[in-house]
Short mmCIF file of all heavy atoms in Angstrom, two decimals:
data_model
loop_
_atom_site.label_atom_id
_atom_site.label_comp_id
_atom_site.label_asym_id
_atom_site.label_seq_id
_atom_site.Cartn_x
_atom_site.Cartn_y
_atom_site.Cartn_z
N PRO S 55 42.40 111.12 169.06
CA PRO S 55 42.97 110.92 170.40
C PRO S 55 44.51 111.11 170.40
O PRO S 55 45.18 110.73 169.43
CB PRO S 55 42.62 109.46 170.72
CG PRO S 55 41.50 109.09 169.79
CD PRO S 55 41.73 109.91 168.55
N MET S 56 45.00 111.69 171.47
CA MET S 56 46.44 111.91 171.58
C MET S 56 47.24 110.60 171.44
O MET S 56 48.29 110.57 170.80
CB MET S 56 46.76 112.55 172.93
CG MET S 56 46.26 113.98 173.02
SD MET S 56 46.75 114.75 174.58
CE MET S 56 46.21 116.45 174.31
N ASP S 57 46.73 109.52 172.03
CA ASP S 57 47.42 108.22 171.94
C ASP S 57 47.57 107.75 170.50
O ASP S 57 48.58 107.16 170.14
CB ASP S 57 46.64 107.14 172.70
CG ASP S 57 46.77 107.29 174.19
OD1 ASP S 57 47.54 108.16 174.64
OD2 ASP S 57 46.10 106.50 174.92
N PHE S 58 46.56 108.05 169.69
CA PHE S 58 46.61 107.62 168.30
C PHE S 58 47.70 108.42 167.55
O PHE S 58 48.44 107.83 166.75
CB PHE S 58 45.24 107.81 167.62
CG PHE S 58 45.24 107.35 166.20
CD1 PHE S 58 45.07 106.00 165.89
CD2 PHE S 58 45.38 108.25 165.14
CE1 PHE S 58 45.07 105.57 164.57
CE2 PHE S 58 45.37 107.82 163.82
CZ PHE S 58 45.21 106.47 163.54
N VAL S 59 47.79 109.69 167.82
CA VAL S 59 48.82 110.53 167.16
C VAL S 59 50.22 110.02 167.52
O VAL S 59 51.11 109.92 166.69
CB VAL S 59 48.65 112.02 167.54
CG1 VAL S 59 49.74 112.87 166.87
CG2 VAL S 59 47.26 112.51 167.13
N VAL S 60 50.39 109.70 168.81
CA VAL S 60 51.70 109.17 169.26
C VAL S 60 52.01 107.86 168.54
O VAL S 60 53.12 107.63 168.08
CB VAL S 60 51.72 109.01 170.79
CG1 VAL S 60 52.96 108.26 171.25
CG2 VAL S 60 51.63 110.37 171.47
N GLU S 61 50.99 107.00 168.40
CA GLU S 61 51.18 105.73 167.71
C GLU S 61 51.57 105.96 166.23
O GLU S 61 52.48 105.30 165.71
CB GLU S 61 49.91 104.88 167.78
CG GLU S 61 50.11 103.50 167.17
CD GLU S 61 48.82 102.68 167.02
OE1 GLU S 61 47.87 102.98 167.76
OE2 GLU S 61 48.82 101.79 166.16
N VAL S 62 50.90 106.90 165.59
CA VAL S 62 51.22 107.24 164.18
C VAL S 62 52.67 107.69 164.06
O VAL S 62 53.40 107.26 163.16
CB VAL S 62 50.25 108.32 163.66
CG1 VAL S 62 50.80 108.98 162.40
CG2 VAL S 62 48.88 107.72 163.39
N LEU S 63 53.08 108.58 164.95
CA LEU S 63 54.44 109.10 164.87
C LEU S 63 55.48 107.99 165.05
O LEU S 63 56.47 107.94 164.32
CB LEU S 63 54.64 110.21 165.93
CG LEU S 63 53.98 111.53 165.58
CD1 LEU S 63 53.86 112.43 166.80
CD2 LEU S 63 54.75 112.26 164.46
N MET S 64 55.21 107.08 165.98
CA MET S 64 56.18 105.98 166.22
C MET S 64 56.17 104.98 165.06
O MET S 64 57.22 104.45 164.68
CB MET S 64 55.88 105.28 167.53
CG MET S 64 56.16 106.16 168.74
SD MET S 64 56.10 105.26 170.29
CE MET S 64 54.43 104.68 170.33
N ARG S 65 54.99 104.75 164.46
CA ARG S 65 54.86 103.74 163.41
C ARG S 65 55.48 104.21 162.10
O ARG S 65 56.18 103.45 161.43
CB ARG S 65 53.39 103.43 163.20
CG ARG S 65 53.13 102.43 162.05
CD ARG S 65 51.63 102.19 161.88
NE ARG S 65 51.07 101.47 162.98
CZ ARG S 65 50.64 100.19 162.90
NH1 ARG S 65 50.75 99.55 161.74
NH2 ARG S 65 50.13 99.60 163.95
N PHE S 66 55.24 105.47 161.71
CA PHE S 66 55.63 105.93 160.37
C PHE S 66 56.89 106.78 160.37
O PHE S 66 57.47 107.03 159.31
CB PHE S 66 54.49 106.67 159.71
CG PHE S 66 53.28 105.78 159.46
CD1 PHE S 66 52.15 105.88 160.27
CD2 PHE S 66 53.28 104.84 158.44
CE1 PHE S 66 51.06 105.05 160.06
CE2 PHE S 66 52.20 104.01 158.22
CZ PHE S 66 51.08 104.12 159.03
N PHE S 67 57.29 107.28 161.55
CA PHE S 67 58.50 108.12 161.62
C PHE S 67 59.34 107.60 162.79
O PHE S 67 59.46 108.29 163.80
CB PHE S 67 58.12 109.58 161.86
CG PHE S 67 57.12 110.09 160.87
CD1 PHE S 67 55.75 110.02 161.16
CD2 PHE S 67 57.52 110.63 159.66
CE1 PHE S 67 54.81 110.46 160.23
CE2 PHE S 67 56.58 111.09 158.74
CZ PHE S 67 55.24 111.01 159.02
N PRO S 68 59.90 106.43 162.64
CA PRO S 68 60.47 105.75 163.80
C PRO S 68 61.14 106.71 164.82
O PRO S 68 62.10 107.39 164.49
CB PRO S 68 61.49 104.80 163.18
CG PRO S 68 60.89 104.45 161.85
CD PRO S 68 60.20 105.74 161.39
#
Side-chain angles (χ1 to χ4, degrees):
M56 291 183 174
D57 286 355
F58 182 81
V59 179
V60 171
E61 185 189 336
V62 162
L63 285 163
M64 291 191 299
R65 177 182 291 251
F66 296 104
F67 308 92

